[in-house]
Amino acid sequence: MFRNVPRRSVLTGGLSLTLAGLGLSACASESKTPDGPAGPFPESWDEALTADVFDGLANQMGEQPGWFGAMVADEFNLTLNVIAPNVAGGGDTLYNTRVSAGELGDIVLTDVGQKLDELIDGGLLLDFSSYYANMKSAARFDDAVQKVNEGKDGIYAIPTQISSLKPTEPSEGIDPTFGPFVRWDLYKEVGYPEIGTLEDLLPVLKDMQDAAPAADNGGTVYSLSLFADWDGNYMNNAKQPCCYYGYDEMGFVLVKADGTDYQSILDDDGLYVRVLKWFFDANQLGLVDPDSTTQNYDSLFSKMQGGQVLFSFWPWQGQAAYNTEDHMAEGKGFMIAPLADQRIFSYGAPASGAAQVFSIGSNAEDPERAAAFIDWLYSPAGVYANSSQTMGAAGPQGLTWELDDDGKPELTDFGREALLAGGATVPDEWGGGSYIDGTSWLNVTTVLGNDEDPETGYPYNYKMWETYQESVANPLTEDWAAKMGGSATTMEYLTANDMLLVGTGASYVPPQDSSEVETIRNQVKAVIVENSWKMAFAADQAEFDALLTTMQDTAEGLGYQTVLDVDMANAKEQNTQREAIAAEFG
C-alpha cells in the first residue's frame, strides 16, 4: 500500500553569497559522521518522512508526484521534496540562501570539484562511510566511488552516470547525443538527395519545406525552429552543429574529441561563426521559424509534435516529439540524414562518473534512509525507474516491461503505449496519473542505459533489446535501414562508416573561475549571445558582417582573451586526462 507523506516547506530567496563569506570554511565547521557503525538497512520504514532534495539539475520543484513518487513512498515511506534552482530563477541565489542557513537539504545533488569540496569543508555534507558499507548497489562501482572521494577523509559522494563500459566506448545507446535528424518521410519525398556538408543541407531542407508547407494541424511548417532557453557562453543552438564535426565545448573554446584542434568561438573561420552564417542563410531562404527569438523549448516541442518542424539538432528531441507508433506506421518520423563529411561527437562512458554526485546533508533528518534511497537509485529497479526519462531506461518492471518466456525483456502493452504512443494513464495501483508526468524529477542518470542489468543480462535501455527492435519494425525504420545499407540503428551506421568521434570519458571538471574571470565571462557571453541571435536574423550579408565585427571587437574590449586563455588551458588539460584514461583502460 502506498503511504501518505506530510508536506514540508521549502526555503527560497536570499542574497548571492559565497561559502567563505558565510564563514562556512574548514576553520568554521567540520564534516559530520554518523555515530557508530550502521547495520543493514531496514526492510521497511514505519515513520513517514519528507526529504528535501537539493537538485541543481531538476526542472521541476515541489513534491515528486505520480508513479515514481509512489514507488519511493512504497519502498521507503518517503516523499521527495525537490528543490530546484533552475525553477527558482536560476543561478546560485537559492544555493547561497540555503548554504547561509547551514542546510542545503537531506539529499544533495551537486557538482564534483570545488563546490563539493567547499560543502565538505563547510560541514554541510555527511561522511556516510558507515552507511556505504551497506550500499551494495552503488558499491558495484566502487572504483568510481573511491575515485570521486579521493583525498577526502571519508565517503561524501556517489558519482552519477557510472558505467562498466570502457571510457573509449560511446556512452549513448542506439543514437548519438547529436546529429542532423530530419523528417525522413519528406526527405524521401524529395528523392533522398546526398548531403555533402552542413551547407548542402539547406537546399534539401528548402525542397522538403516546399513539399509540405502546412502541417496536419494546420500550422505553418519551418525547417528550423530555435529557442534561447539554454543559451550560456554563446547561442546554444549554434553550438549543436559543431558537434556534427567532432567538437564539444569548453567555455569559449570548441574542442575536437581527439584533441587535434581547439577553436575560439569567435574565430572568423571557426565552426561557431560558420553555423551562425548557416542560420543566416537558412533565414534568407525562409526556413527559420520567426518565433525562434521569443519561444521556449516547450513551445518548440509542441510544434514538433504537430509536424511543424522538419529538422532536429538531437535525436531525443524530434523522435520523442513526432515518432509515435501511428506516425511511424505511416512512414513518418525523424531519422538521421548523414552529412558526407560528418564525424559526430560522442561522449565516452565516464570512467569515474559524470560531474554531478549524490551526497547526504549533514543535518539530514534520517541519513540512513537517505543512504538507502540513494543506493536504490543504483539498483536495477532504481535505474529502470529513475532513468526512464533521461537515458531511455524502460521504467518499472511489471508496469512498462516484463520478461518473456525465453527470459528476454520486452515492453508490455502499457509500456508501448506510454513510451511509444505519446503517453498513457498509469493504473491506480501504481500511483495513477500520466506516465510522463510521473517520471522522476531528479533529472539525473545513475547508471548508463547501455550498461547491462546484472539480473537479466540485457541493457537498461529498452531500445537496445532484441524484442523491441523486432517489434517496432515499421515503414519508417525499414525504409531508413534500406537506404543505410541495412544498418539497424544510427550508432551501427555511424560506427560502420567511421562517422563517430568519441571523446574519452575522463570526467574532467574545470576549475572554478576566479572572480575576475567570472566577471569578464558574464559580460562577454551576454555580448556573444545577443549578437549571435542578431546575426542569425540579419537583414543582409553586410549587416551580418558588421554584427560579427561588433561582437568580436566588443568581446575583445571586455577582456575576452583573458577568459579564452583560461578555457584553452582547461581544454588542453581535459585532453591530457582523456589520453591518460584511454591509456589506462587500453
Side-chain angles (χ1 to χ4, degrees), residues 266-345:
L266 295 186
D267 285 348
D268 285 331
D269 57 353
L271 266 174
Y272 182 77
V273 173
R274 175 183 172 184
V275 176
L276 292 178
K277 178 63 163 56
W278 187 70
F279 283 162
F280 165 77
D281 290 339
N283 190 51
Q284 294 294 303
L285 292 170
L287 304 183
V288 184
D289 182 354
D291 292 339
S292 293
T293 58
T294 56
Q295 71 186 357
N296 60 19
Y297 180 85
D298 290 341
S299 298
L300 166 58
F301 193 82
S302 295
K303 289 180 178 179
M304 281 192 160
Q305 287 178 311
Q308 294 177 244
V309 184
L310 305 184
F311 179 85
S312 173
F313 295 107
W314 313 276
W316 44 265
Q317 182 190 46
Q319 291 185 348
Y322 194 77
N323 288 24
T324 64
E325 284 194 312
D326 287 345
H327 282 150
M328 290 189 293
E330 297 173 5
K332 297 179 178 180
F334 283 87
M335 301 295 287
I336 195 168
L339 314 178
D341 64 344
Q342 71 185 17
R343 288 201 73 192
I344 295 175
F345 182 94

Side-chain angles (χ1 to χ4, degrees), residues 67 384-385 388 393-402 410-419 426 430 435 462 465:
W67 61 265
Y384 281 118
S388 62
Q397 184 176 3
L399 177 64
T400 53
W401 69 279
E402 60 192 5
E410 65 177 356
L411 294 179
T412 61
D413 290 342
F414 175 86
R416 296 183 67 85
E417 185 180 356
L419 301 173
V426 176
W430 284 89
Y435 181 84
Y462 67 88
W465 296 347

Side-chain angles (χ1 to χ4, degrees), residues 565-578:
D565 290 343
V566 170
D567 292 342
M568 193 67 73
N570 291 341
K572 292 181 178 179
E573 175 58 26
Q574 174 184 247
N575 188 64
T576 298
Q577 292 193 20
R578 282 176 171 171

